[in-house]
Amino acid sequence: MSALQIEVVRPQDLTPARLERWAQLQAQQDVVFDSPFLSPHWARAVDRAQGRDGVRVAVLRREGADVGFMALQGAGVTALPAGAPMCDYQGLVAEAGVTVAPREIVAALGVQRFDFCHMLEASAPFAPFARGHMASHVVDIGGSYEAYAAERRAAGVGLLKDCDKKRRKAERELGPVRFTAFSRAAADFDQLIAWKRAQLRATHQSDIFAPGWTQRLVRDLFASRDPEFGGALFTLHFGERLAAAHLHLRGRRTIHGWLIAHDPEAERYSPGLLLFQDILRWMETTPYHRLDLGPGDYRFKRELANTEVSVGHGFVGVFSPATLVRRAAYGLRQAAESLPLGDLSQLPGKAMRRMDRLRGLRSA
């Protein structure tokens, strides 16, 4: 079998034939690859929002044919996932049987190291470079919402029943509960962003909307009319009052949970959970059957989900100072996490994640 070649191109320079080939390869993969973050549209959306030359696509070629695609974002001597930290999944979209040494991709990009945070475990070439794993929770409603709800009840999960009670309480006290899918209400979109920024401030997290490129990305995806990719705004009103709003991303068969927030004054009615419940009911009559809740170990995700995807964090690099520095940082992190120090043992990992988030936000 002939050797692979790696060509590096800008997302906006991908020809229609290459875009179609990428989409074909993605559709041929396991359903876990049906993620909007692995599509060519994500790479192109990030590239447009950033408006510079940071995003690159490594195109794997064999005998003149494209057999694999992966988008990354260069940041000096290191690379990050395209759109980090707004990108929930990473992975190589490739023809069955194609194998590549990840270090060859790093070298082709002209960087010393690639840091990943949520690499799909199913993306086999990168699995040996993961330094830790976590579960990403997914809801697969199967044939119907009612079948899914019955399965959750049988598993001893009472969350959906609690949602029904809170919905009735909200209707009695605040007025009719109204759900809207694919809303185009700009005021509701703006309120979602305002709520999300307030939430980030209250929890002392980095403001992901501070850089201009992240705001352009989110607004462009909200405005998208592409039937196979873009943002989907879902809203929940109590009477005339907006109670919760979610901006999720659309794949072909998957809705990926992305930006979620609700009115703090309506907290006791759990409007965010009620909105998730309505989205799951709505999905029954659409081409979508998976609601990917994304990485993060939260109780509501564990209770809503009936399946999960394993993702890993780690790095791959050529022999270089940047690679040695990252290896040392992971050594300190793993040593700390092995000690019985309670929350203190998690500090190096938290510091690394915070620094990576800031690197991504500032890289454009």
Side-chain angles (χ1 to χ4, degrees):
M1 184 175 293
S2 61
L4 286 172
Q5 296 84 45
I6 301 176
E7 181 183 351
V8 178
V9 301
R10 282 194 63 183
Q12 302 308 321
D13 293 335
L14 290 167
T15 64
R18 278 189 156 169
L19 292 172
E20 182 178 358
R21 176 61 171 159
W22 188 337
Q24 288 174 346
L25 290 175
Q26 188 180 10
Q28 292 169 8
Q29 305 295 312
D30 184 275
V31 68
V32 301
F33 281 83
D34 183 43
S35 167
F37 297 107
L38 301 183
S39 77
H41 306 293
W42 170 257
R44 286 163 65 85
V46 172
D47 195 32
R48 286 193 301 268
Q50 294 185 349
R52 59 189 295 275
D53 296 337
V55 181
R56 289 286 185 268
V57 177
V59 184
L60 308 187
R61 294 177 58 77
R62 175 180 288 149
E63 298 180 350
D66 296 338
V67 296
F69 298 86
M70 187 170 186
L72 303 96
Q73 179 173 303
V77 297
T78 62
L80 296 168
M86 308 296 286
C87 177
D88 280 358
Y89 285 152
Q90 299 97 51
L92 172 67
V93 177
E95 196 174 85
V98 168
T99 59
V100 62
R103 287 192 179 94
E104 294 181 2
I105 295 178
V106 172
L109 288 167
V111 297
Q112 298 177 8
R113 195 184 77 213
F114 167 49
D115 300 332
F116 54 86
C117 52
H118 301 124
M119 181 69 67
L120 289 173
E121 193 172 86
S123 192
F126 288 87
F129 298 93
R131 297 300 183 101
H133 301 272
M134 70 181 73
S136 188
H137 300 283
V138 180
V139 180
D140 191 327
I141 65 165
S144 71
Y145 170 82
E146 288 304 326
Y148 155 74
E151 180 270 328
R152 290 285 80 202
R153 289 194 298 270
V157 176
L159 180 65
L160 297 175
K161 183 177 180 180
D162 291 342
C163 285
D164 292 337
K165 292 179 180 177
K166 290 183 177 181
R167 186 182 300 274
R168 291 192 293 269
K169 181 178 177 66
E171 288 176 337
R172 289 195 305 270
E173 297 178 358
L174 301 176
V177 176
R178 175 165 53 89
F179 164 70
T180 304
F182 284 34
S183 170
R184 293 298 177 187
D188 292 347
F189 170 82
D190 290 339
Q191 182 62 73
L192 166 63
I193 302 303
W195 280 337
K196 192 66 181 177
R197 298 188 82 167
Q199 181 187 86
L200 292 169
R201 286 194 299 271
T203 54
H204 307 290
Q205 298 183 64
S206 303
D207 183 357
I208 58 175
F209 300 106
W213 76 266
T214 56
Q215 292 217 31
R216 287 192 295 273
L217 174 66
V218 171
R219 292 186 181 280
D220 287 351
L221 292 175
F222 168 60
S224 172
R225 299 296 192 272
D226 189 313
E228 294 187 356
F229 175 84
L233 180 65
F234 298 91
T235 61
L236 190 77
H237 285 76
F238 292 159
E240 296 303 313
R241 173 181 175 181
L242 180 66
H246 296 178
L247 182 69
H248 298 328
L249 295 186
R250 298 177 280 113
R252 289 187 174 185
R253 296 164 288 173
T254 302
I255 296 289
H256 187 101
W258 201 34
L259 301 176
I260 65 175
H262 64 269
D263 181 354
E265 295 183 4
E267 177 76 35
R268 64 194 181 108
Y269 303 101
S270 300
L273 285 174
L274 298 189
L275 183 48
F276 270 125
Q277 185 183 40
D278 282 343
I279 293 170
L280 292 169
R281 286 194 174 109
W282 165 84
M283 286 169 59
E284 185 179 60
T285 59
T286 73
Y288 309 106
H289 65 87
R290 285 168 62 90
L291 175 60
D292 195 321
L293 301 172
D297 189 25
Y298 298 95
R299 180 180 175 183
F300 83 91
K301 292 187 178 185
R302 295 194 301 270
E303 296 191 353
L304 282 176
N306 56 3
T307 187
E308 62 182 39
V309 173
S310 181
V311 296
H313 61 84
F315 71 98
V316 54
V318 299
F319 182 75
S320 63
T323 298
L324 293 175
V325 167
R326 192 68 167 184
R327 186 175 298 155
Y330 260 110
L332 173 62
R333 173 177 177 174
Q334 291 171 339
E337 291 175 349
S338 68
L339 296 174
L341 300 177
D343 291 343
L344 289 177
S345 66
Q346 303 301 315
L347 289 179
K350 289 181 179 178
M352 285 181 67
R353 289 191 294 273
R354 182 176 179 83
M355 289 302 298
D356 287 347
R357 173 173 288 207
L358 291 173
R359 284 168 57 209
L361 292 174
R362 294 171 179 171
S363 65

